[in-house]
């Protein structure tokens, strides 16, 4: 449950300090992380890793 608390605190920080420009950066980092995790064991892994 501690991981979800950190995410909640991050979004509370963004809302309180009006740092809206950070949202696309945060979403891209999350998307790239999930892409790497979900394609790690698949046949697409060599193609994904050549991008980075």
């Amino acid at each position: 449950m501690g991981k979800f608390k950190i995410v909640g605190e991050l979004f509370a920080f963004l809302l309180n300090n009006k740092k809206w420009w950070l949202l696309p950066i945060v979403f891209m980092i999350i998307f790239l992380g999930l892409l790497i995790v979900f394609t790690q064991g698949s046949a697409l892994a060599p193609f994904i890793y050549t991008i980075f």
Side-chain angles (χ1 to χ4, degrees):
M1 206 60 183
K3 293 179 184 178
F4 295 115
K5 185 177 179 183
I6 292 172
V7 173
E9 287 181 12
L10 175 66
F11 283 112
F13 168 78
L14 295 175
L15 289 173
N16 289 337
N17 294 323
K18 301 199 181 357
K19 303 286 186 185
W20 300 112
W21 56 273
L22 284 174
L23 283 176
I25 297 169
V26 170
F27 285 131
M28 285 304 297
I29 291 172
I30 291 170
F31 173 72
L32 290 174
L34 289 174
L35 180 69
I36 290 172
V37 167
F38 287 128
T39 60
Q40 187 173 4
S42 73
L44 294 174
F47 300 110
I48 298 296
Y49 288 122
T50 57
I51 294 173
F52 301 107

